[in-house]
């Protein structure tokens, strides 16, 4: 299974929404890393917004260029409100490293951008006072400026530096703002509202089957309702505590699977596939139906953070790799690959709303769409007469194939998360 490389790292405010194992998560490790992106590098997933993180050190004060052990020219550049970009006096084309030294008393982020179009070639975030971060980029003929954005202060743009020779620079991307992301976020929220209507209906069918004592019908209804919920993956952070009640597991609870706090789909799944009588599942099903109804009724008052939409597109399949392909959320139904298939649908739902913003920014978008379709067809092949092959029943070749395609998708979706990270402009 592929691993997200460090050169795609980004830093976001840690989230504390319930995780798929029923315990709080602060986000994947690669999102908690300090961000340093050289957009001109070669992003594995598609050629835009590549990121290179090099070890930060004390560095040199701004001023002067040297050739380091890596064979690349290193230029010390000042980061401050009064001297943003100071030190870059000998412009050259090609791959190079800027050692960004923060001489101010506040943390800052820095963009290397085009003064004409605003396209960003490289960026770093979280440069602490008195510290140095390294940014590797590939530059060509054109004009460039550093923009310094100190915490709690206005952005400052440094002097324009022109490179007269050399080839084309590395890829760049027009930054997105919070305002750009509001329309797709609102559209996605409307789509979620329709999905919640369907979820309530399917959950009602599950409860009714249990009321009749129809265990076979309840198993079928359980899968339909659970997959309806899984397709809403980008909204989990907005669901808050309801997500734990609906889709949490026994992990982290004092008594595990026997804890009274173990509720929702997986509690019912455990009973349905471990011989529990229908009557014993009536109360959990009723509680689940009440929770999804409340979630649906309250949804109109909820507001998703538009800046999270691209990040959620990545997290849906990251969670799939971590929890579904490993079978960690299987309580007897063996339906993890069905859940993975629903997660593909959920990812497509997000991407379709982001498409107008990505089509001019992400050259790998068509390849990503094709790979999602290919993965959907692969997963459909594991369904036989309404039953899904459990992940632990896959032979080695099939398991490696599934792991590989999902690992590749997670890497590609990291590009989407990076591109859709709202950036400051003032």
């Amino acid at each position: 299974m592929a691993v997200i490389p460090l050169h795609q790292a980004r830093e976001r405010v840690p989230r504390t929404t319930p995780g798929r194992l029923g315990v709080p998560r602060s986000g994947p490790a690669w999102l908690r890393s300090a961000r340093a992106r050289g957009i001109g590098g070669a992003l594995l997933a598609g050629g835009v917004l590549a990121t290179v993180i090099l070890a930060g050190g004390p560095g040199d004060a701004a001023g002067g260029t040297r050739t380091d052990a890596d064979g690349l020219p290193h230029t010390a550049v000042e980061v401050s409100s009064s001297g943003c970009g100071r030190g870059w006096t000998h412009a050259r084309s090609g791959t190079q490293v800027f050692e960004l030294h923060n001489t101010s008393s506040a943390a800052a982020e820095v963009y290397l951008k085009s003064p004409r179009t605003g396209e960003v070639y490289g960026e770093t975030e979280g440069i602490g006072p008195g510290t140095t971060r390294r940014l590797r980029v590939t530059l060509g003929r054109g004009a460039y400026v550093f923009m310094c954005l100190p915490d709690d202060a206005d952005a400052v743009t440094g002097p324009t530096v022109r490179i007269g020779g050399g080839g084309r620079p590395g890829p760049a991307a027009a930054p997105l703002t919070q305002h750009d992301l509001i329309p797709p976020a609102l559209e996605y929220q409307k789509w979620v509202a329709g999905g919640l209507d369907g979820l309530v209906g399917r959950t009602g069918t599950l409860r009714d089957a249990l009321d009749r004592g129809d265990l076979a019908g309840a198993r079928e209804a359980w899968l339909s309702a659970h997959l309806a919920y899984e397709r809403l993956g980008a909204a989990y952070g907005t669901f808050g505590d309801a997500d734990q009640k609906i889709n949490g597991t026994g992990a982290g609870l004092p008594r595990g699977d026997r804890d009274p706090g173990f509720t929702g789909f997986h509690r019912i799944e455990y009973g349905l596939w471990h011989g529990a009588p229908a009557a014993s599942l009536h109360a959990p099903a009723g509680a689940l139906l009440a929770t999804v109804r409340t979630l649906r009724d309250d949804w109109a008052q909820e507001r998703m953070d538009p800046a999270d939409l691209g990040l959620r597109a990545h997290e849906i399949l990251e969670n799939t790799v971590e929890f579904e392909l490993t079978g960690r959320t299987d309580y007897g139904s063996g339906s993890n690959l069905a859940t993975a298939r629903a997660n593909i649908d959920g990812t497509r739902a997000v991407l379709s709303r982001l498409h107008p913003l990505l089509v001019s920014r992400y050259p790998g978008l068509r390849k990503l769409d094709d790979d999602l379709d290919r993965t959907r067809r692969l997963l459909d092949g594991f369904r036989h007469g309404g039953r899904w092959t459990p992940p632990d029943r896959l032979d080695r070749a099939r398991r490696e194939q599934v792991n590989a395609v999902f690992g590749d998708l997670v890497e590609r979706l990291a590009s989407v998360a990076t591109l859709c990270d709202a950036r400051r402009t003032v």
Side-chain angles (χ1 to χ4, degrees):
M1 181 177 66
V3 177
I4 297 295
L6 286 177
H7 69 266
Q8 293 171 354
R10 306 162 62 238
E11 182 176 40
R12 298 295 298 269
V13 176
R15 58 192 173 93
T16 56
T17 53
R20 301 297 304 283
L21 290 183
V23 294
R25 301 182 65 204
S26 59
W30 70 276
L31 289 173
R32 299 193 297 270
S33 302
R35 182 177 65 181
R37 288 195 294 256
I39 299 175
L43 187 74
L44 296 180
V48 169
L49 280 172
T51 310
V52 178
I53 288 186
L54 301 177
D60 300 320
T65 299
R66 70 178 193 278
T67 299
D68 211 340
D70 56 13
L72 297 175
H74 285 233
T75 302
V77 174
E78 181 177 338
V79 177
S80 70
S81 296
S82 60
C84 181
R86 182 184 299 162
W88 190 19
T89 56
H90 301 288
R92 66 184 71 196
S93 61
T95 302
Q96 54 199 285
V97 175
F98 292 103
E99 299 198 357
L100 306 174
H101 184 70
N102 187 354
T103 62
S104 71
S105 59
E109 58 185 292
V110 178
Y111 301 160
L112 177 60
K113 56 188 289 188
S114 163
R116 182 177 63 85
T117 67
E119 292 183 322
V120 178
Y121 291 88
E123 61 185 313
T124 68
E125 186 174 87
I127 309 177
T131 62
T132 300
R133 297 288 302 284
R134 294 176 177 177
L135 174 67
R136 174 174 169 169
V137 294
T138 299
L139 303 180
R141 184 183 298 108
Y144 305 89
V145 294
F146 278 105
M147 175 181 279
C148 303
L149 301 98
D151 287 355
D152 302 320
D154 293 338
V156 178
T157 301
T160 298
V161 175
R162 301 184 184 278
I163 298 177
R168 298 180 61 183
L176 289 173
T177 66
Q178 186 95 350
H179 181 76
D180 296 324
L181 294 164
I182 289 175
L186 292 175
E187 185 180 345
Y188 182 76
Q189 281 195 240
K190 293 178 181 178
W191 179 82
V192 171
L196 289 172
D197 284 336
L199 174 63
V200 169
R202 288 172 171 79
T203 307
T205 301
L206 167 61
R207 185 203 59 181
D208 292 345
L210 289 169
D211 287 348
R212 297 192 307 269
D214 180 5
L215 290 174
R219 293 186 189 101
E220 182 177 345
W222 178 90
L223 181 58
S224 176
H226 186 237
L227 298 183
Y229 183 77
E230 288 286 347
R231 293 187 183 97
L232 307 178
Y236 290 160
T238 311
F239 289 167
D241 292 342
D243 179 51
Q244 170 65 21
K245 295 178 181 178
I246 293 170
N247 209 36
T249 71
L253 298 176
R255 297 176 57 193
D257 301 343
R258 299 180 181 276
D259 195 277
F262 179 32
T263 63
F265 279 115
H266 293 301
R267 166 67 181 89
I268 298 170
E269 177 189 10
Y270 184 86
L272 285 173
W273 275 271
H274 287 86
S280 70
L281 299 176
H282 175 78
L288 174 61
L289 180 57
T291 302
V292 298
R293 279 177 174 166
T294 299
L295 182 62
R296 178 198 60 186
D297 296 343
D298 292 347
W299 183 246
Q301 283 72 52
E302 297 293 340
R303 291 293 179 268
M304 290 184 62
D305 183 351
D308 281 349
L309 201 57
L311 177 62
R312 302 302 184 207
H314 173 269
E315 287 181 335
I316 293 172
L317 293 193
E318 186 189 49
N319 280 345
T320 303
V321 170
E322 185 174 356
F323 300 113
E324 306 305 332
L325 300 189
T326 59
R328 292 171 66 183
T329 55
D330 182 17
Y331 279 81
S333 68
S335 61
N336 292 103
L337 294 180
T339 300
R341 173 66 169 81
N343 293 160
I344 293 289
D345 292 339
T347 300
R348 296 301 295 263
V350 180
L351 291 177
S352 67
R353 275 74 190 175
L354 292 172
H355 188 274
L357 300 176
L358 293 173
V359 67
S360 61
R361 291 174 170 85
Y362 183 32
L365 184 59
R366 177 173 294 182
K367 180 66 163 61
L368 174 59
D369 286 337
D370 290 344
D371 286 349
L372 286 166
D373 286 340
R374 179 166 60 95
T375 304
R376 174 179 52 80
R377 292 191 295 269
L378 172 65
L379 293 173
D380 284 343
F382 300 126
R383 182 180 183 180
H384 308 284
R387 294 178 178 271
W388 290 80
T389 304
D392 61 2
R393 301 282 181 85
L394 298 177
D395 61 33
R396 180 172 181 175
R398 285 293 195 181
R399 176 176 288 278
E400 289 177 348
Q401 183 182 16
V402 171
N403 286 346
V405 297
F406 271 92
D408 183 64
L409 285 173
V410 168
E411 288 185 0
R412 293 183 179 279
L413 288 163
S415 303
V416 172
T418 300
L419 284 162
C420 294
D421 186 14
R423 288 164 172 82
R424 285 177 57 189
T425 57
V426 293

